[in-house]
């Protein structure tokens, strides 16, 4: 773990969410200030892992983007949330319909990168215990060089897929009861 990652993990531990998710709130993206989302989506450190983004994410684009994410909830009954850690916007993520699968997204502000595991645990718990999904997928761009972390979380590498002309690596995590049937 690099110095930055260690500092981020320590910050999340200080905030009390590394072992518990008590300081974490999942809220609809429409409840997040657009300026917070705009800052996140224009951060070059975040953009490095969002190959479909162009770095020109203004208020108009953000409002359209939030509306499209809210539509996921209306159409599919699930969608992405905004993550608040002790009341501070940390990023967004959750589930989106992607190529017929429930796809997991997790986009965090660099100041909260060390909090990803705790946030992941919470949203996976919601996926399998509350929403009853059989599996979720995750699409990672080639820039994510530490994709072995997906395997440690229980995901299985599936294949490469193309989204809007960009290649992603697809991973799948089966619900615990599905893993037992397949194992």
């Amino acid at each position: 773990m690099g110095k930055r990652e260690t500092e981020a993990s320590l910050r999340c531990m200080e905030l009390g969410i590394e072992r518990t998710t008590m300081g974490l709130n999942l809220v609809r993206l429409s409840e997040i200030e657009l300026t917070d989302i705009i800052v996140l989506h224009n951060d070059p450190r975040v953009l490095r892992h969002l190959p479909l983004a162009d770095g020109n994410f203004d208020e108009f684009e953000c409002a359209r983007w939030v509306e499209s994410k809210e539509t996921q909830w209306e159409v599919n009954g699930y969608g992405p949330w905004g993550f608040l850690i002790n009341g501070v916007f940390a990023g967004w993520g959750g589930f989106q319909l992607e190529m017929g699968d429930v796809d997991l997204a997790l986009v965090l502000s660099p100041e909260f990168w060390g909090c990803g595991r705790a946030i992941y645990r919470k949203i996976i718990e919601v996926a399998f215990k509350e929403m009853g999904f059989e599996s979720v997928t995750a699409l990672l761009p080639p820039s994510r060089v530490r994709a072995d972390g997906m395997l440690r979380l229980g995901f299985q590498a599936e294949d490469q897929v193309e989204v809007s002309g960009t290649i992603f690596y697809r991973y799948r995590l089966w619900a615990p009861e599905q893993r037992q049937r397949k194992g």
Side-chain angles (χ1 to χ4, degrees):
M1 195 180 300
K3 182 179 179 195
R4 241 186 242 162
E5 292 167 321
T6 301
E7 289 171 359
S9 290
L10 289 174
R11 178 161 186 234
C12 288
M13 288 170 51
E14 289 168 6
L15 292 171
I17 74 148
E18 192 55 39
R19 297 194 205 305
T20 176
T21 54
M22 288 176 42
L24 172 65
N25 288 313
L26 308 179
V27 300
R28 295 286 283 269
L29 284 166
S30 57
E31 298 176 42
I32 301 296
E33 292 289 332
L34 292 183
T35 53
D36 290 337
I37 298 170
I38 292 167
V39 168
L40 175 69
H41 277 243
N42 285 308
D43 186 314
R45 297 167 294 176
V46 174
L47 284 173
R48 188 176 75 203
H49 301 295
L50 299 176
L52 300 179
D54 64 8
N56 294 313
F57 198 73
D58 59 18
E59 191 169 346
F60 176 76
E61 286 298 318
C62 185
R64 281 186 20 184
W65 180 84
V66 169
E67 185 178 318
S68 75
K69 299 306 181 189
E70 289 297 310
T71 299
Q72 289 271 336
W73 284 99
E74 295 165 17
V75 172
N76 304 315
Y78 58 85
W81 296 280
F83 303 131
L84 298 177
I85 296 178
N86 295 333
V88 177
F89 177 65
W92 67 273
F95 309 108
Q96 306 175 99
L97 183 63
E98 191 70 57
M99 293 178 276
D101 286 311
V102 177
D103 190 67
L104 169 68
L106 182 60
V107 179
L108 297 177
S109 172
E111 293 76 21
F112 293 95
W113 281 351
C115 301
R117 186 175 293 245
I119 295 169
Y120 161 81
R121 282 195 304 260
K122 175 62 178 172
I123 58 180
I124 287 299
E125 177 182 313
V126 170
F128 296 139
K129 289 184 179 176
E130 295 178 28
M131 295 182 161
F133 298 143
E134 289 186 10
S135 70
V136 297
T137 61
L139 302 180
L140 294 185
S143 66
R144 294 296 306 267
V145 294
R146 294 189 194 149
D148 60 326
M150 298 299 288
L151 303 176
R152 286 194 303 272
L153 292 172
F155 281 83
Q156 299 170 344
E158 275 198 350
D159 55 7
Q160 290 184 9
V161 296
E162 186 176 319
V163 178
S164 299
T166 301
I167 296 295
F168 289 85
Y169 300 108
R170 180 169 38 201
Y171 294 82
R172 183 175 304 276
L173 179 68
W174 292 96
E177 58 275 3
Q178 297 296 324
R179 279 181 265 176
Q180 289 172 356
R181 284 189 210 142
K182 294 181 181 304

